[in-house]
Amino acid sequence: MRKGKSDISGWLVRRASWHAWAASAVVLCAHAVGVALRSSDGGMDNAIVVRAARTWLDGGSPYADRHFLYLPSAVLAAVPQTLLPPGVPRVLVPLTVTALLVAGWVCALRVHGVPRHSRLAVLGPAGLALGFAPFGHLVSLGNWTVTAAAALPLALLLAARERWVWAGVVIGAALALKPLLAPVALLFVFARRWRGLAAVILVPALASGGAALLMPDPAAFVTRTLPFLLRGHDGFVRLYEASPVAVLPRLGVPSWVAVPLAFAAAGGGVLAAYRRWSRGVPGPLRLVETAVLLMLAAFLVSRPSYDHYLLVVVPLLLAGLPYPGSAARGPWFWLALVPQVPGADWPWLEAVTRRSFRDCFTLCVMTASVALWHHRHLPLAGPVGFVAQRRGRRAARV
């Protein structure tokens, strides 16, 4: 990844002009402000968590709402929002979600060694906001998936710097807020980082266990929420789920066929992740693509599995675009993103209850593209980006 290269790698890592930074800032701020003007409570999904916290403060069980699917520690994390004056969350939540997505993008760039002042750095968030529909959905909903979207790049950055215990702490803290990154625990197993794995398990266990003791029904997550998840939610929520487990039955495939197919695909994704780790050259691509494959494999069978879950993996892949061997260079990766372009007309799939068909296509094709692309992966020198190479050249002159 050299600045002087004439291909896309060189263009992306060159310094961006201040005009590009200003345009990107305007796009992100305008999007957040637009959501604030349309929303009255900071987003429907965030409101569910805040409502659960208010129920707990009033002496009730937060799990009385079957759509509250978080661990008990999330209830305590949402309490500060209940203390805010009315009207503040409608502005604060979309701005916070946008800021966390940008923070995750910066960490993803640093994992790959891409300069923070580069053109890719400034184009990434604006491109996602304008050309990737799940970005707008996540900001509008205020969903706590954003904690995973920010935590995973940070954890991988720490892992790339051999700070696996702290990486485990970051993943564990994200799990305590929303148990979305649980599949990443397998990355610690592949790398044989047992202390980091212990942090992944202990941090949410201690946080949720302590919070559960403060609840009127300490075991409600196990007795109410888990059965609800295993049953596949209700008929309304199922219309928005993107996993093949939910989508294939809607296409007429019997459940006894759809479920084994989805689990077989997920198993193939986990196997591909293991092969990517065990056979890949150490470096940022191996670390990122292994974690991404684990998450995508889980999305194939998880209930729920929504389009905005893609923001946990897509920025990490896009940040590796300057590397010639990255999965983001593959044509199938970009084909998978086509159904997520806002404003495009899709006959028979325009209804909001049918966009899950497009989301399922994106999820399946992206999983296949990352799983198969690593067979063509070029040997790289590891996580040394443009900055590290420039320092090396200066040292060589001396």
Side-chain angles (χ1 to χ4, degrees):
M1 189 165 51
R2 297 189 300 272
K3 184 177 179 181
K5 292 182 67 173
S6 60
D7 65 356
I8 189 66
S9 302
W11 188 87
L12 288 173
V13 299
R14 295 185 191 123
R15 182 183 292 273
S17 66
W18 69 268
H19 309 84
W21 286 105
S24 182
V26 168
V27 168
L28 294 175
C29 291
H31 191 278
V33 171
V35 171
L37 294 175
R38 295 191 302 269
S39 173
S40 61
D41 52 9
M44 179 178 65
D45 290 357
N46 179 71
I48 292 175
V49 189
V50 176
R51 187 164 59 247
R54 288 199 179 98
T55 301
W56 173 68
L57 290 175
D58 293 337
S61 172
Y63 294 98
D65 183 357
R66 61 180 181 176
H67 291 131
F68 177 70
L69 308 176
Y70 299 77
L71 293 171
S73 48
V75 177
L76 300 185
V79 167
Q81 288 194 56
T82 66
L83 308 178
L84 295 175
V88 172
R90 67 182 300 178
V91 177
L92 183 62
V93 172
L95 289 176
T96 301
V97 171
T98 303
L100 286 174
L101 289 173
V102 172
W105 172 249
V106 172
C107 290
L109 293 172
R110 301 312 302 152
V111 172
H112 292 284
V114 178
R116 285 171 290 186
H117 58 258
S118 64
R119 288 169 174 165
L120 180 60
V122 65
L123 289 175
L128 289 171
L130 294 174
F132 191 57
F135 186 100
H137 298 163
L138 182 60
V139 178
S140 298
L141 293 171
N143 193 282
W144 284 29
T145 295
V146 70
T147 58
L152 183 56
L154 175 58
L156 295 180
L157 177 60
L158 292 169
R161 297 177 177 179
E162 295 299 323
R163 298 177 181 176
W164 285 88
V165 175
W166 281 110
V169 170
V170 170
I171 296 295
L175 290 175
L177 296 177
K178 183 169 184 175
L180 187 63
L181 295 181
V184 181
L186 283 176
L187 176 63
F188 292 80
V189 176
F190 295 165
R192 299 181 183 274
R193 302 290 180 164
W194 308 118
R195 289 191 294 177
L197 178 63
V200 171
I201 298 172
L202 289 177
V203 170
L206 293 176
S208 295
L213 296 177
L214 303 176
M215 305 292 162
D217 187 1
F221 180 81
V222 177
T223 59
R224 296 184 184 180
T225 302
L226 284 182
F228 181 68
L229 288 171
L230 294 175
R231 287 195 303 268
H233 287 192
D234 51 32
F236 173 76
V237 175
R238 197 175 298 120
L239 296 175
Y240 301 92
E241 294 186 11
S243 65
V245 175
V247 171
L248 289 178
R250 295 181 61 189
L251 295 174
V253 179
S255 296
W256 60 271
V257 175
V259 173
L261 281 177
F263 273 89
V270 174
L271 178 61
Y274 176 73
R275 288 166 59 90
R276 183 68 183 89
W277 179 263
S278 60
R279 299 185 180 184
V281 177
L285 292 183
R286 182 180 74 152
L287 187 65
V288 166
E289 290 175 6
T290 301
V292 164
L293 279 170
L294 290 172
M295 293 305 304
L296 288 172
F299 295 160
L300 290 174
V301 294
S302 64
R303 309 295 298 269
S305 182
Y306 300 126
D307 65 330
H308 51 76
Y309 286 10
L310 293 170
L311 281 165
V312 178
V313 297
V314 169
L316 279 166
L317 295 173
L318 286 176
L321 193 59
Y323 284 93
S326 68
R329 291 289 190 98
W332 289 97
F333 170 79
W334 295 99
L335 179 64
L337 297 180
V338 170
Q340 304 302 328
V341 176
D345 292 330
W346 298 96
W348 303 290
L349 298 178
E350 295 179 353
V352 66
T353 55
R354 290 190 174 184
R355 76 155 291 118
S356 58
F357 297 117
R358 289 185 276 156
D359 301 334
C360 184
F361 173 86
T362 297
L363 177 59
C364 294
V365 175
M366 184 172 295
T367 303
S369 69
V370 180
L372 298 176
W373 182 255
H374 74 86
H375 290 294
R376 302 181 181 180
H377 178 65
L378 301 177
L380 296 175
V384 288
F386 164 69
V387 175
Q389 292 183 13
R390 183 174 59 182
R391 290 174 179 172
R393 289 195 296 269
R394 287 179 178 175
R397 295 192 191 102
V398 176

